[in-house]
Each structure stands twice: as C-alpha cells, then as structure tokens.
Amino acid sequence: MSVSDRQLKLIKEAAELLVMEHRLTTEDAVFVISSALKKELSARQTSFEKLEKGSKIDRTSFIRSVVKHVQISLENNPYWRSHNLDKSIENFYQILHKRWN
C-alpha cells in the first residue's frame, strides 16, 4: 500500500492529536492509526486511491470505522485511556473528516 503525501499528512495530523491528548508516543500513535487504516482497507477490500475517487459517503463511512478501531485500541490500553476519551475521539474524527473531504 503506497501512501501519498496527502495521506501521510493526514495521518501525522491525526497522530499529533492522540499524542497531545493521550500518553502515546508519536510512534505509538502512527502505529495505532496505521493499523486501523490497514484493518479497514482490508475489510473493505479497497485502497486509498479507490476511496479518494469514490463518494464522500464512502470516505465518511471509512473514516468512522477507522476512528472506531482507534477508539477500541485506546480503550483496551489502560495507559492510553483517559477521562477525555470521548471528546478526544470526536476531535480525532473531525481532523480526519475535515482534512480528507
């Protein structure tokens, strides 16, 4: 899976939010996001290129699923979990959604 500059910027911006609001290192944040992206791309049997050419509805659905995977990863790690998880996840979704659409 190749990642475009735009996609890499999207991942980095989203990772920065996780680093700021949780106790993740930059590497951990990128790993969590990348894993969620790969899992969802595989589940949908698609690629970033196809999603970018697809409808806004498809991209929004994809983003919501990726955010859910990230949320589950954060919830499952007591060190990363925080009392602001819901707000943090909403902010994370907003960054991904705004930057991609």
Side-chain angles (χ1 to χ4, degrees):
M1 169 180 76
S2 64
V3 179
S4 72
D5 289 340
R6 180 176 179 224
Q7 294 158 354
L8 187 58
K9 183 178 179 188
L10 176 76
I11 292 168
K12 286 182 179 181
E13 288 178 11
E16 287 175 14
L17 177 72
L18 294 181
V19 169
M20 288 177 7
E21 296 196 10
H22 300 277
R23 290 175 257 187
L24 278 79
T25 64
T26 301
E27 294 80 21
D28 287 338
V30 170
F31 177 77
V32 168
I33 295 166
S34 297
S35 295
L37 289 168
K38 288 177 187 175
K39 185 182 289 185
E40 194 57 29
L41 287 170
S42 177
R44 292 174 185 249
Q45 298 178 342
T46 192
S47 67
F48 278 122
E49 293 76 22
K50 288 179 185 175
L51 284 170
E52 291 211 1
K53 293 176 184 174
S55 71
K56 185 175 181 177
I57 292 169
D58 289 341
R59 288 191 303 273
T60 299
S61 173
F62 176 80
I63 289 169
R64 286 187 186 278
S65 295
V66 167
V67 169
K68 186 64 179 172
H69 290 302
V70 169
Q71 181 178 7
I72 290 167
S73 293
L74 294 175
E75 288 172 345
N76 288 337
N77 187 319
Y79 187 71
W80 295 340
R81 199 175 326 141
S82 78
H83 63 282
N84 295 330
L85 183 60
D86 291 336
K87 179 66 175 158
S88 170
I89 289 298
E90 179 61 28
N91 291 340
F92 180 72
Y93 170 76
Q94 294 299 326
I95 284 175
L96 286 178
H97 186 69
K98 185 171 96 176
R99 297 288 186 239
W100 199 352
N101 290 313

